[in-house]
Amino acid sequence: MGIGHWALGIGNWEWGIGNWAQEAEVQRSRGAEGKILTATSPLLPCSPAPSSPSSPLSPSSPSSPSSPSSPSSPSSPSSSSSPSSPSSPSSPHSPLPDMIYSDFISPQTQFYQLTVPFQLESGEVLIGVQVAYRTWGQLNAQGDNGVLICHALTGSADADDWWEPLFGSGKAFNPDRNFIVCSNILGSCYGTTGPTTINPTTRKPYGVSFPKITIRDMVRLQAVLLEYLGVQSLRFVIGGSLGGMQALEWALLYPEKVKGIAPIAVSGRHSAWCIGLSEAQRQAIYADPNWQGGNYTLDAPPNQGLAVARMMAMSTYRSWDSFTTRFGRQYDASEKFAIASYLQHQGQKLTERFDANTYITLTHAMDGHDIARDRTDPNLSDYESVLGSIQQPTLVVAIDSDILYPPVEQQELANLIPNAQLSWLKSTHGHDAFLIDMAALNEIIQQNHEFVLF
């Protein structure tokens, strides 16, 4: 949590595909390729992607199928001490008309548009899918120095904003050595296709009609982007919360292409505790009179419901000790409890930068997270055996004060994944510590370099 397309009726899709070369090849075989929107495009200026290595991806055996970052307003291009994309546009982009949250997308963001349908795990298809992404560093000639950062519920591709202390020479994300990629996830509202996107069929925003998506759909779309960028393999995939769910699925969907993973503050399947909290938040949105069954207008969104949902979520992203130390029973100038004013402020802030249908879509996807769900390999029939099949070195990071994804869940991952190391991020801040205690997190990653090959 924030705590951080295929033509129908053509052939059968094997969800256990083992590498993104195969996935991209299937798309090409169906008659089209993706395209990047360049500065000459009438839709959206964007810099070209890195050159692809000349050697094609070697096919691997198919595997069995298987917050909250807070984007800030666009900042000026990074200084020499801060990493920035070598291919960043020299001037701000002109967002597509349906990108209503473009103010929260940095000028360095690039966009890749598929010109083939993208099939979801449900069988539904999306047409004209767009992916917003950022890159840092240079892809080497072998295409094997990739690092993928996966963001959390309300995050964006601007990882150097919300994880800035982890970027730089000698740090976890070293652009001098690695080609680092972070893309906005499918279903979000920061540049990648989601509920706020214009449906090319109806010419209206998808809204509540946006199809159900899964964590695996997010990962498969990332794989298509990486194929386009020429990334042959990833040194590691890392993410916290919802980002950690993606990291786990990467290890299972593309085992030959991922050398290591680092799931942070996450579980291998969403618990009843998390599902219950998500449902309470969704019900707060549904109870807003402006919800209108999800068919609200841009000038009258269900802001009160979304704000209340965020207030609930923020209470689980922190801890008893964090709130007690910071707020206690203090009153503010308006004679409200300081904690009440803080939560109301956080709720209001989210309504200014996030969409209610997007929140519904992504929390449903998180509730569906279960790495053992619908595996077709008979040898991977249960949760324990699926985790046991992950062979990559795995750095599992637990936060000792996390009440949303309690440490027992990370201990389970570390116990069941054969080559896993459990590390502790000790903090009073609760689940959000991976976005607060970033210097300590950077140190954990660096100290465990044998598990994440940075």
Side-chain angles (χ1 to χ4, degrees), residues 378-392:
N379 295 319
L380 302 177
S381 58
D382 55 41
Y383 182 72
E384 291 76 12
S385 64
V386 173
L387 285 175
S389 72
I390 296 176
Q391 298 301 311
Q392 295 94 333

Side-chain angles (χ1 to χ4, degrees), residues 7-273:
L8 285 169
I10 303 180
N12 295 318
W13 178 247
E14 172 51 56
W15 288 110
I17 195 163
N19 66 66
W20 60 76
Q22 292 173 337
E23 190 157 345
E25 182 58 32
V26 173
Q27 294 194 35
R28 285 193 289 269
S29 72
R30 294 188 178 183
E33 295 180 353
K35 65 180 180 181
I36 192 162
L37 300 176
T38 67
T40 59
S41 167
L43 293 177
L44 182 66
C46 180
S47 298
S51 299
S52 301
S54 57
S55 59
L57 284 171
S58 56
S60 62
S61 300
S63 66
S64 60
S66 2
S67 133
S69 35
S70 299
S72 60
S73 299
S75 58
S76 58
S78 303
S79 65
S80 59
S81 61
S82 300
S84 62
S85 170
S87 56
S88 297
S90 58
S91 60
H93 63 259
S94 301
L96 290 169
D98 54 299
M99 287 173 58
I100 60 175
Y101 295 96
S102 59
D103 286 348
F104 301 98
I105 303 171
S106 76
Q108 290 79 26
T109 303
Q110 300 182 70
F111 299 86
Y112 174 66
Q113 188 175 48
L114 281 67
T115 56
V116 293
F118 182 78
Q119 182 172 350
L120 302 173
E121 194 174 8
S122 66
E124 293 195 58
V125 297
L126 292 170
I127 306 298
V129 169
Q130 175 174 280
V131 185
Y133 69 98
R134 295 280 308 279
T135 67
W136 301 263
Q138 297 286 348
L139 186 66
N140 64 19
Q142 296 75 35
D144 63 359
N145 67 329
V147 168
L148 180 66
I149 300 172
C150 302
H151 70 72
L153 173 59
T154 63
S156 71
D158 298 318
D160 61 344
D161 178 12
W162 45 267
W163 256 356
E164 188 274 335
L166 280 72
F167 277 80
S169 180
K171 295 187 177 182
F173 307 132
N174 185 350
D176 296 334
R177 297 183 56 187
N178 298 320
F179 179 64
I180 304 156
V181 181
C182 183
S183 67
N184 186 222
I185 56 173
L186 179 67
S188 185
C189 55
Y190 295 131
T192 296
T193 296
T196 62
T197 303
I198 298 295
N199 181 334
T201 302
T202 66
R203 304 308 303 167
K204 297 178 181 178
Y206 281 101
V208 72
S209 71
F210 191 75
K212 176 183 176 181
I213 60 172
T214 67
I215 306 301
R216 293 173 196 168
D217 291 328
M218 299 173 190
V219 169
R220 289 190 174 98
L221 184 58
Q222 291 165 347
V224 173
L225 172 66
L226 292 179
E227 167 70 9
Y228 167 76
L229 293 174
V231 178
Q232 303 289 296
S233 64
L234 293 164
R235 288 183 172 174
F236 68 97
V237 181
I238 186 171
S241 197
L242 171 55
M245 299 176 192
Q246 296 164 63
L248 289 167
E249 286 291 359
W250 263 100
L252 291 161
L253 290 173
Y254 304 101
E256 302 302 320
K257 304 302 176 183
V258 178
K259 296 178 181 178
I261 60 171
I264 303 167
V266 74
S267 60
R269 53 188 173 188
H270 234 209
S271 66
W273 167 244

Side-chain angles (χ1 to χ4, degrees), residues 262-266 394-403 405-415 420-431 433-434 437-448 451:
I264 303 167
V266 74
T394 300
L395 173 62
V396 180
V397 179
I399 300 168
D400 60 349
S401 57
D402 193 341
I403 63 171
Y405 297 92
V408 64
E409 295 186 320
Q410 292 85 59
Q411 290 171 319
E412 180 181 60
L413 292 178
N415 289 337
Q421 168 71 41
L422 178 65
S423 290
W424 291 90
L425 179 56
K426 296 184 178 181
S427 171
T428 63
H429 293 303
H431 183 69
F434 76 93
D437 295 311
M438 292 182 275
L441 178 60
N442 181 70
E443 185 176 352
I444 287 172
I445 297 171
Q446 290 185 294
Q447 288 177 345
N448 292 275
F451 288 93

